[in-house]
Amino acid sequence: MKKIILGLLIGISIPFAAGYLFVISGGMPVATKGEPLPLEHFIVKRALHAAFKNDLGKQAPFELTGDHVAAAAKIYKNNCGGCHGVSDHENLMAKGMFPPAPQFFQPDKDVKDDPIGEIYWKVKNGIRLTGMPGYVDILNEQELWEVSLFLKNGATIPEEAKK
Ligand code: HEC
């Protein structure tokens, strides 16, 4: 019986020891240019989806019209543009991040196909271990929705608001 328990303990310890050796030998990529670990994207994507899935059906309490448009553009410019870009110029800082901050003004990088509840969740809570901050303590509820709607309407932002 003792031998079985000892065997089990050794069997359980081996993966932990191997993982520890992997980390302390520098195998774990920590530089932003490092390659993702096997399954990293797969696991993180699923974890993120599990986190916001209850908010997918959430609807914005107002539409992005009138004063909300200018307010949203201003919020975006002051809080988000530094990483996500304010025009279709390439943002070099974003490229140095892991993962890189998506450039919402670049073709095919907008989030207009994502449910508004998902965008709102990400803006409010941020995405841990990426550069994406959570804005829950920075923007109020109305501002969170305004900037989320601004991104949802990414392809049809009036030229005036873009400036
Ligand atoms: C310091 C840099 C930084 C700032 C400032 C920032 N973000 Fe982000 N954001 C990121 C990064 C990096 C990601 C990519 C995260 C990922 O791929 O998991 C991201 C992802 C996102 C996503 C998800 C995109 C997708 O394809 O699903 C949304 C939506 C978003 N940001 C909105 C905003 C808004 C709105 C603001 C301002 C209120 C903002 N971000 C400010 C770095 C930033």
Side-chain angles (χ1 to χ4, degrees), residues 19-43:
Y20 184 65
L21 279 177
F22 175 72
V23 171
I24 61 166
S25 67
M28 185 95 168
V30 284
T32 56
K33 285 240 179 257
E35 286 296 313
L37 289 169
L39 295 179
E40 183 174 339
H41 282 310
F42 177 84
I43 294 168

Side-chain angles (χ1 to χ4, degrees), residues 79-80 83-84 97 99 101-102 104 111 122-123 130-133 135 151:
N79 295 275
C80 327
C83 288
H84 291 293
M97 305 179 104
F104 295 130
V111 285
K122 289 177 179 172
V123 179
T130 77
M132 176 60 198
Y135 282 87
L151 293 184

Side-chain angles (χ1 to χ4, degrees), residues 40 44 47-48 51 98-99 121-122 125-134:
E40 183 174 339
V44 172
L48 187 59
F98 182 90
W121 189 96
K122 289 177 179 172
N125 298 293
I127 306 173
R128 193 167 160 146
L129 296 184
T130 77
M132 176 60 198

Side-chain angles (χ1 to χ4, degrees), residues 2-136:
K2 267 186 185 165
K3 276 186 183 165
I4 295 176
I5 294 174
L6 190 67
L8 272 175
L9 283 175
I10 293 173
I12 293 169
S13 317
I14 287 173
F16 284 106
Y20 184 65
L21 279 177
F22 175 72
V23 171
I24 61 166
S25 67
M28 185 95 168
V30 284
T32 56
K33 285 240 179 257
E35 286 296 313
L37 289 169
L39 295 179
E40 183 174 339
H41 282 310
F42 177 84
I43 294 168
V44 172
K45 255 185 143 177
R46 259 134 208 95
L48 187 59
H49 189 269
F52 63 64
K53 74 169 190 278
N54 290 339
D55 279 8
L56 282 178
K58 237 180 196 165
Q59 293 303 319
F62 49 80
E63 288 184 5
L64 195 64
T65 51
D67 290 348
H68 290 307
V69 180
K74 199 169 166 197
I75 297 164
Y76 180 85
K77 185 171 162 261
N78 291 341
N79 295 275
C80 327
C83 288
H84 291 293
V86 282
S87 66
D88 40 17
H89 294 300
E90 195 178 29
N91 180 333
L92 292 176
M93 192 176 75
K95 281 175 78 180
M97 305 179 104
F98 182 90
Q103 299 301 288
F104 295 130
F105 286 91
Q106 300 277 342
D108 302 329
K109 294 287 180 192
D110 59 68
V111 285
K112 63 183 196 301
D113 291 336
D114 290 351
I116 186 66
E118 175 180 339
I119 300 172
Y120 168 84
W121 189 96
K122 289 177 179 172
V123 179
K124 183 175 177 180
N125 298 293
I127 306 173
R128 193 167 160 146
L129 296 184
T130 77
M132 176 60 198
Y135 282 87
V136 62

